[in-house]
Amino acid sequence: EVQLLESGGRVVRPGGSLRLSCTASGFIFDDYGMSWVRQVPGKGLEWVSGINWNANDAGYADSLKGRCTISRDNAKNSVHLQMTSLRVEDTALYYCVRVRTGSYHDGFDIWGQGTMLTVSS
Amino acid sequence: SYVVTQPPSVSVAPGETARITCGGSQIEDKGVFWYQQKPGQAPVLVMYYDKVRPSGIPERFSGSNSGNTATLTISRVAPGDEADFYCQVYDNFRGVFGGGTKLTVL
């Protein structure tokens, strides 16, 4: 079964840092780009970041640029999002998603169930 | 930055046709992706590259893109189609989602 399992979400103080992780199973991981999409509960979707199949191309939303770094470990079928200088407005459910091609700028055909990040003092 | 606009809500009776629009400057030059999200669930890709249905998506779902408007059309709407729908494009290699449209089946 194709599956994405996120972890790392928790309560963090403003200004703090966090690393979100996603472990993939059921498909050839390094055939696909991967991305992160977030959603404030009850609100819309926001693209956060994406990385291509071999990690030599990545992109970031303007709202997070300079504050987050996406990476992947193809040997461990995992993708990570390191976030720093966290703000209250970063509070959201963070979805790990598979991109339907090796690029990171294509549609998202597999979604995890999400991991919740709460930034609060 | 690129802005994508969707109507907040669309309502149709069962069996009718729902059309959900996605507006953006010269959006016809971009590939549009559509997602369906039911309450408490992760989104599902229902259309990519404007008009291509992923495997498992009913033929009742179709897409088009012309000028400044892309459209997701759902024929013979059923109660189970009720959900939030989001369109998405890429601009300068950054993903951009529309604000979402709540489809209500009356």
Side-chain angles (χ1 to χ4, degrees):
Chain A
E1 181 189 4
V2 174
Q3 197 169 8
L4 298 172
L5 186 62
E6 303 95 336
S7 61
R10 58 182 174 91
V11 179
V12 179
R13 297 284 177 94
S17 300
L18 183 78
R19 188 196 201 206
L20 301 180
S21 296
C22 170
T23 302
S25 59
F27 63 95
I28 301 173
F29 185 68
D30 55 10
D31 275 353
Y32 296 92
M34 297 295 295
S35 285
W36 291 91
V37 174
R38 69 184 181 182
Q39 185 173 36
V40 174
K43 302 296 184 183
L45 302 172
E46 181 184 11
W47 180 82
V48 172
S49 179
I51 189 168
N52 76 331
W53 69 278
N54 67 355
N56 73 356
D57 192 21
Y60 300 91
D62 286 343
S63 59
L64 284 142
K65 202 164 188 178
R67 299 192 297 119
C68 74
T69 303
I70 192 170
S71 62
R72 64 187 294 160
D73 184 340
N74 286 346
K76 296 183 178 179
N77 288 359
S78 61
V79 60
H80 309 281
L81 187 70
Q82 179 72 43
M83 304 177 72
T84 62
S85 302
L86 285 165
R87 304 168 181 168
V88 171
E89 54 265 34
D90 293 321
T91 296
L93 183 67
Y94 284 73
Y95 289 105
C96 173
V97 298
R98 188 181 83 171
V99 183
R100 49 177 306 280
T101 63
S103 163
Y104 76 80
H105 32 92
D106 206 309
F108 310 133
D109 63 350
I110 302 294
W111 295 64
Q113 286 305 303
T115 187
M116 187 69 199
L117 165 62
T118 302
V119 183
S120 173
S121 54
Chain B
S1 58
Y2 194 81
V3 176
V4 178
T5 302
Q6 296 183 239
S9 63
V10 167
S11 300
V12 294
E16 298 298 307
T17 297
R19 294 178 179 83
I20 300 171
T21 58
C22 175
S25 177
Q26 289 298 110
I27 201 169
E28 68 177 355
D29 294 335
K30 303 182 183 298
V32 178
F33 307 91
W34 289 94
Y35 303 89
Q36 177 186 40
Q37 186 178 32
K38 296 182 179 180
Q41 297 182 20
V44 172
L45 180 68
V46 297
M47 200 70 59
Y48 63 93
Y49 298 163
D50 302 337
K51 57 184 180 181
V52 183
R53 274 181 296 106
S55 163
I57 301 303
E59 291 184 8
R60 300 185 296 107
F61 287 72
S62 62
S64 63
N65 189 1
S66 178
N68 295 320
T69 305
T71 304
L72 177 70
T73 301
I74 309 170
S75 305
R76 303 182 300 283
V77 167
D81 296 330
E82 192 163 279
D84 293 326
F85 288 84
Y86 297 90
C87 62
Q88 184 228 335
V89 299
Y90 285 90
D91 181 65
N92 286 331
F93 302 107
R94 296 191 199 105
V96 181
F97 281 97
T101 298
K102 182 174 182 58
L103 174 65
T104 299
V105 181
L106 300 170

